[in-house]
Amino acid sequence: MGKKSAAAAALVLSGVLLATGCSSGGGSGAGPAKTGGATAPTPSAPASGPAGGAGDGPASAAAYQKWGLKPLPAAPAPPARKPVQPKPGEVPVISDIPTKEKVVFLTFDDGAEKDPRFVEMMRDLKIPFTMFLTDAAISGNKGYFKPLQQLGNAIQNHTLTHPNMRTESGDQQQRQICGQQEKLAKEYGKAPRLFRPPYGNWNEATRAAAKACGIQSIVLWRESMQIQNMQYQRGDKKLHPGDIVLAHFRGKSELKGHTMTEMTANMLRHIQEQGFAVARLEDYV
């Protein structure tokens, strides 16, 4: 696999990621992103609980006000049939979900920052999101992510040491993905079925490795959240139905003095101002 030192991993997972958005081109890979199926029928009932789980309903206006926010629209009920349906033997690579609903999907990468206020924020707001965790980033406090998981937010795979997968051999890529599968399953009780390649860099060897490790889909993104603003891949600089949004577990040193909750609040303002709800990614893929 080529051993990476802990110091090198920490460097990669710090300020470098702020400049790159954990990306080398906003989710570009070895070809155009692919989805595995057509748009599912559009249900109209609101979701019954936080993060698609058994909670106590949508967050109150008071909860949003506590964090200086206006309420987001209620997310629709999950589709009866997931819009992304991989073909047999195929691992699709997706940057968005085929849907006409005004929903987006939030994802947080790496796991270097472990701000207890973020747990409080997500408990209050009941916003669903997906965590793509790197072992080198979470190893100091893996327990931090369990309360977030208990809220109904899934933990998915982001490799052991956060390498550029295009520079790794097929065997090395498989060790990165399968090794993290094993660690995450042991720690959090469930093996991931989604994988995000660091920096959005992948090739066909990545897909083969992901398939060998039991991954069902490779997940990229359409927008990335920085500190106050989003970076958009499309020229109109707007959210679109089904967009996957990238953010990171980052602290003040990476956010120029701002906190992770401040960054998250800014991201939610962009989503609210454009009239979008936040849905649970795993309900669609």
Side-chain angles (χ1 to χ4, degrees):
M1 175 170 65
K3 295 182 180 178
K4 315 271 188 195
S5 69
L11 176 62
V12 170
L13 293 165
S14 62
V16 174
L17 294 184
L18 182 63
T20 63
C22 196
S23 159
S24 65
S28 59
K34 301 176 183 178
T35 55
T39 303
T42 300
S44 58
S48 60
D56 54 357
S60 66
Y64 278 97
Q65 186 176 21
K66 171 183 173 179
W67 296 97
L69 296 166
K70 295 179 181 179
L72 272 67
R81 183 177 185 272
K82 293 182 180 182
V84 178
Q85 294 287 335
K87 297 177 182 178
E90 178 186 278
V91 177
V93 182
I94 60 172
S95 299
D96 50 46
I97 301 297
T99 179
K100 295 180 180 179
E101 296 278 5
K102 286 196 72 174
V103 295
V104 295
F105 305 91
L106 301 187
T107 62
F108 287 83
D109 279 14
D110 304 334
E113 177 64 19
K114 302 165 186 70
D115 185 348
R117 288 273 287 168
F118 180 73
V119 179
E120 178 185 354
M121 183 185 208
M122 293 295 102
R123 185 176 290 121
D124 288 346
L125 298 181
K126 304 168 186 172
I127 302 282
F129 62 94
T130 298
M131 296 171 275
F132 287 92
L133 300 183
T134 298
D135 189 65
I138 68 173
S139 57
N141 184 6
K142 293 183 178 180
Y144 169 83
F145 303 94
K146 292 184 178 180
L148 295 171
Q149 182 189 33
Q150 289 164 4
L151 292 174
N153 303 301
I155 291 173
Q156 307 290 2
N157 192 324
H158 198 42
T159 72
L160 290 169
T161 63
H162 207 275
N164 179 350
M165 298 295 269
R166 288 184 195 164
T167 67
E168 305 286 299
S169 70
D171 287 345
Q172 289 170 332
Q173 292 195 48
Q174 188 165 325
R175 281 191 283 270
Q176 284 284 339
I177 301 172
C178 288
Q180 183 65 336
Q181 288 287 95
E182 294 173 6
K183 285 179 176 285
L184 292 176
K186 181 179 179 181
E187 185 68 30
Y188 301 106
K190 188 175 183 180
R193 59 185 185 83
L194 306 180
F195 170 67
R196 172 168 283 160
Y199 315 106
N201 287 346
W202 63 279
N203 54 26
E204 288 304 318
T206 313
R207 296 221 289 188
K211 179 182 175 182
C213 298
I215 294 294
Q216 295 177 10
S217 296
I218 293 174
V219 179
L220 306 179
W221 60 90
R222 282 292 185 182
E223 290 81 30
S224 62
M225 185 65 199
Q226 300 303 304
I227 300 172
Q228 295 180 334
N229 298 311
M230 281 188 182
Q231 291 183 349
Y232 296 88
Q233 292 181 13
R234 299 184 184 91
D236 63 5
K237 299 189 182 301
K238 293 179 181 179
L239 296 170
H240 289 244
D243 278 1
I244 298 169
V245 182
L246 165 68
H248 292 85
F249 286 94
R250 286 179 175 154
K252 289 185 176 181
S253 60
E254 296 84 25
L255 298 174
K256 300 181 180 180
H258 295 275
T259 64
M260 185 170 175
T261 55
E262 289 172 335
M263 177 202 70
T264 303
N266 289 333
M267 177 171 60
L268 294 175
R269 287 189 190 98
H270 287 291
I271 294 169
Q272 186 273 331
E273 289 167 358
Q274 295 183 55
F276 280 80
V278 176
R280 185 175 183 268
L281 179 63
E282 287 76 13
D283 289 335
Y284 288 72
V285 60

